[in-house]
């Protein structure tokens, strides 16, 4: 079983839809959770950064962490064509020399 | 504007050749990282450095080498020992290690001639 799993998609939605992107993980010691957006031929851009369980909202984006289920989600409201990208989840335990583990990414297309 | 600059954007390697990818940051971050990205796979860590003149191997360090002589610079050399070097290489930095969020450059795409 991979440490972090993510449905690769592709996911295609109409403009204005609510998008739900998800990751599951196996390491119960993960405490820091991140979502990155990556456009084609570009580096990942940090969207959301959360610690432990709970919700965090930033504009049209909401990140949810459920540590009991080892499940994290990113919701995008009122999706726009400019949201079309690959979304990577990432997580770490947060110790000094700890690594960040990335999911393989979900490809999202928002159709005008 | 603060950020991470990777160069070149595209690079071609001949058989038996070593090539060096540049990564420079002006974010005043202590930690820097090199990742390899292949289609359908997550980012895989090649090397990382928490402080100047110190670096550690990541999960796939074989065939790669790095140096960290200056805080702002972390070049990656892909040696001829790396038999499958074709990939998208990403450099990142963070304020510190552990759970600190990483900020990425725009990558270098390396191909074999």
């Amino acid at each position: 079983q991979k440490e972090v799993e993510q449905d690769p998609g592709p996911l295609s939605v109409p403009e204005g839809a609510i998008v739900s992107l998800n990751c599951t993980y196996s390491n119960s010691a993960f405490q820091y959770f991140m979502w990155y957006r990556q456009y084609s031929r570009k580096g990942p851009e940090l969207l959301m950064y959360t610690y432990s369980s709970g919700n965090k909202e930033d504009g049209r984006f909401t990140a949810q962490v459920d540590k009991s289920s080892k499940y994290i989600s990113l919701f995008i409201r009122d999706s726009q064509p400019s949201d079309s990208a690959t979304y990577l989840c990432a997580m770490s335990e947060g110790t000094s020399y700890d690594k960040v583990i990335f999911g393989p990414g979900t490809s999202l297309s928002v159709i005008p | 504007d603060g950020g991470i600059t990777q160069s070149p954007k595209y690079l071609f390697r001949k058989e038996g050749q070593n090539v060096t990818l540049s990564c420079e940051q002006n974010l005043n971050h202590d930690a820097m990282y090199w990742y390899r990205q292949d289609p359908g796979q997550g980012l895989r860590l090649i090397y990382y450095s928490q402080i100047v003149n110190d670096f550690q191997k990541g999960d796939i360090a074989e065939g790669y080498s790095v140096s960290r002589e200056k805080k702002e610079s972390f070049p990656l050399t892909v040696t001829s020992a790396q038999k499958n070097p074709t990939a998208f290489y990403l450099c990142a930095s963070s304020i510190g290690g552990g759970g600190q969020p990483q900020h990425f450059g725009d990558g270098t795409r390396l191909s074999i001639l």
Side-chain angles (χ1 to χ4, degrees):
Chain A
Q1 181 189 13
K2 290 186 178 179
E3 212 165 359
V4 178
E5 306 218 39
Q6 192 175 2
D7 186 338
L11 180 62
S12 185
V13 301
E15 183 175 354
I18 296 174
V19 177
S20 172
L21 303 166
N22 310 295
C23 285
T24 59
Y25 61 94
S26 57
N27 184 355
S28 58
F30 285 147
Q31 295 192 83
Y32 294 88
F33 303 91
M34 291 148 272
W35 284 96
Y36 288 85
R37 176 175 63 196
Q38 186 176 21
Y39 292 115
S40 181
R41 290 185 286 276
K42 292 288 190 179
E45 170 195 7
L46 181 68
L47 280 178
M48 302 289 278
Y49 174 65
T50 56
Y51 170 73
S52 195
S53 285
N55 294 0
K56 182 176 182 179
E57 187 174 321
D58 184 0
R60 296 184 296 112
F61 298 92
T62 299
Q64 283 187 356
V65 175
D66 182 350
K67 290 187 69 179
S68 62
S69 302
K70 299 193 187 72
Y71 188 88
I72 69 170
S73 301
L74 178 71
F75 297 96
I76 307 174
R77 291 184 299 280
D78 187 25
S79 56
Q80 302 295 310
S82 58
D83 295 326
S84 299
T86 297
Y87 290 80
L88 308 170
C89 63
M91 46 200 80
S92 77
E93 295 179 21
T95 55
S96 296
Y97 277 79
D98 181 36
K99 294 182 294 185
V100 174
I101 308 299
F102 289 84
T106 298
S107 176
L108 171 67
S109 291
V110 180
I111 311 301
Chain B
D1 272 343
I4 299 175
T5 301
Q6 289 189 241
S7 61
K9 195 170 178 67
Y10 299 96
L11 188 58
F12 297 91
R13 195 190 88 170
K14 295 179 182 178
E15 289 287 337
Q17 187 182 42
N18 293 351
V19 292
T20 297
L21 285 59
S22 171
C23 177
E24 302 278 331
Q25 56 100 355
N26 61 4
L27 298 167
N28 200 31
H29 285 173
D30 285 317
M32 297 187 74
Y33 312 82
W34 274 105
Y35 292 93
R36 170 179 172 142
Q37 187 174 36
D38 295 282
Q41 298 194 43
L43 302 182
R44 291 186 291 167
L45 183 64
I46 304 172
Y47 268 97
Y48 64 104
S49 169
Q50 301 276 30
I51 197 169
V52 174
N53 292 323
D54 186 47
F55 49 82
Q56 286 78 40
K57 292 182 179 180
D59 299 317
I60 55 165
E62 185 174 350
Y64 301 97
S65 65
V66 294
S67 62
R68 185 85 187 276
E69 297 176 1
K70 297 187 296 182
K71 185 175 183 178
E72 57 270 22
S73 177
F74 192 41
L76 173 74
T77 297
V78 183
T79 74
S80 56
Q82 172 50 244
K83 297 306 178 189
N84 183 24
T86 297
F88 191 47
Y89 290 86
L90 288 160
C91 179
S93 70
S94 62
I95 291 174
Q100 294 296 320
Q102 298 178 11
H103 301 269
F104 286 83
D106 275 340
T108 292
R109 185 164 300 278
L110 175 62
S111 303
I112 297 298
L113 281 177

